[in-house]
């Protein structure tokens, strides 16, 4: 095989943002945003002096990211983490001769999505428990404040009564003044 033939094959595998967008059904701006999030999560794209370019493998990554976002309804950052983690696991466990099929990729993706959803549910349960504890504490504080308010009101009434009694005892009748 000549070097020219190798270059032609490589050029055919290079995809632009618009092509990725067309293949995945995403907007071009969304493809760029997803690419940035995937890079933050540790995925590397091929780059040249003009910027990123994509391969057919990247199409699968974008499709998985889109599917996770659609099915699980999670943020792009979290979905990118799931996809990159899944990608790293499959590439580490994969022998060069065994390329995962789409079904295997989807099964792995579903499993990881289930694990992520389970973690979210656990976090939600912990938050609900914390909320109920805080509600109980707030209730106790409100009862304490009500008792304090009642005590204060009672003391104020007693003080007012005492003042009246003092005023009444000190008050002299005008005719007693001359005595």
């Amino acid at each position: 095989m000549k070097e020219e033939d190798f270059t032609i094959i490589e050029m055919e595998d290079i995809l632009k943002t618009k092509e990725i967008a067309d293949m995945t059904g995403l907007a071009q701006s969304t493809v760029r945003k997803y690419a940035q999030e995937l890079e933050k999560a540790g995925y590397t794209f091929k780059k040249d002096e003009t910027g990123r370019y994509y391969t057919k493998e990247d199409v699968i990554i974008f499709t998985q990211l889109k599917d996770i976002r659609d099915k699980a309804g999670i943020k792009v950052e979290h979905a990118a983490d799931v996809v990159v983690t899944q990608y790293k696991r499959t590439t580490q466990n994969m022998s060069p001769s065994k390329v995962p099929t789409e079904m295997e990729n989807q099964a792995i993706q579903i499993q990881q999505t289930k694990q992520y959803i389970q973690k979210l549910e656990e976090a939600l349960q912990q938050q609900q428990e914390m909320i109920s504890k805080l509600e109980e504490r707030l209730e106790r504080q409100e009862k304490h404040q009500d008792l304090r308010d009642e005590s204060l009101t009672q003391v104020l009434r007693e003080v007012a009564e005492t003042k009246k009694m003092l005023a009444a005892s000190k008050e002299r009748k005008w005719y007693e003044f001359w005595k």
Side-chain angles (χ1 to χ4, degrees):
M1 186 180 238
K2 296 179 189 174
E3 189 175 331
E4 294 171 353
D5 295 337
F6 185 70
T7 307
I8 291 171
I9 291 171
E10 282 186 23
M11 293 300 287
E12 288 175 3
D13 290 340
I14 294 175
L15 301 170
K16 299 287 183 188
T17 304
K18 182 178 180 355
E19 294 168 317
I20 294 286
D22 292 341
M23 295 171 90
T24 59
L26 297 167
Q28 290 184 41
S29 60
T30 306
V31 170
R32 285 188 285 275
K33 179 181 177 183
Y34 282 11
Q36 288 174 343
E37 291 301 328
L38 287 165
E39 286 178 332
K40 286 180 190 175
Y43 187 81
T44 53
F45 292 100
K46 294 183 169 90
K47 294 182 180 183
D48 61 12
E49 58 278 347
T50 61
R52 279 186 216 102
Y53 62 92
Y54 307 101
T55 63
K56 292 178 182 177
E57 184 178 84
D58 297 332
V59 175
I60 295 169
I61 299 295
F62 281 107
T63 304
Q64 288 176 345
L65 181 60
K66 179 185 175 198
D67 289 345
I68 287 176
R69 288 258 308 140
D70 292 344
K71 291 176 185 171
I74 57 177
K75 291 184 177 183
V76 178
E77 300 89 27
H78 299 303
D81 287 338
V82 170
V83 169
V84 170
T85 302
Q86 170 188 330
Y87 173 77
K88 287 180 178 178
R89 283 184 191 158
T90 50
T91 54
Q92 286 173 354
N93 298 333
M94 186 174 65
S95 64
S97 62
K98 185 180 185 277
V99 177
T101 65
E102 177 113 10
M103 294 282 279
E104 291 171 329
N105 283 336
Q106 288 178 351
I108 293 169
Q109 176 185 351
I110 290 169
Q111 181 65 27
Q112 289 178 340
T113 304
K114 285 180 182 178
Q115 290 172 349
Y116 185 75
I117 290 172
Q118 184 179 8
K119 287 179 184 177
L120 289 176
E121 288 173 344
E122 289 171 2
L124 180 63
Q125 184 178 0
Q126 288 175 349
Q127 286 178 344
Q128 288 173 339
E129 289 171 3
M130 182 63 79
I131 288 171
S132 67
K133 287 179 183 177
L134 289 172
E135 286 174 343
E136 289 173 10
R137 185 175 178 186
L138 181 62
E139 219 172 278
R140 285 194 309 266
Q141 286 177 344
E142 286 175 349
K143 286 180 183 178
H144 178 70
Q145 286 176 345
D146 289 344
L147 289 172
R148 186 198 64 202
D149 290 348
E150 287 176 17
S151 297
L152 270 171
T153 305
Q154 185 178 356
V155 167
L156 286 174
R157 283 187 192 133
E158 290 173 1
V159 167
E161 273 183 43
T162 306
K163 281 184 179 181
K164 283 181 187 178
M165 288 175 24
L166 280 172
S169 69
K170 286 184 180 181
E171 184 180 302
R172 291 186 182 173
K173 308 243 186 247
W174 65 271
Y175 58 87
E176 291 178 359
F177 179 72
W178 301 108
K179 291 184 183 178

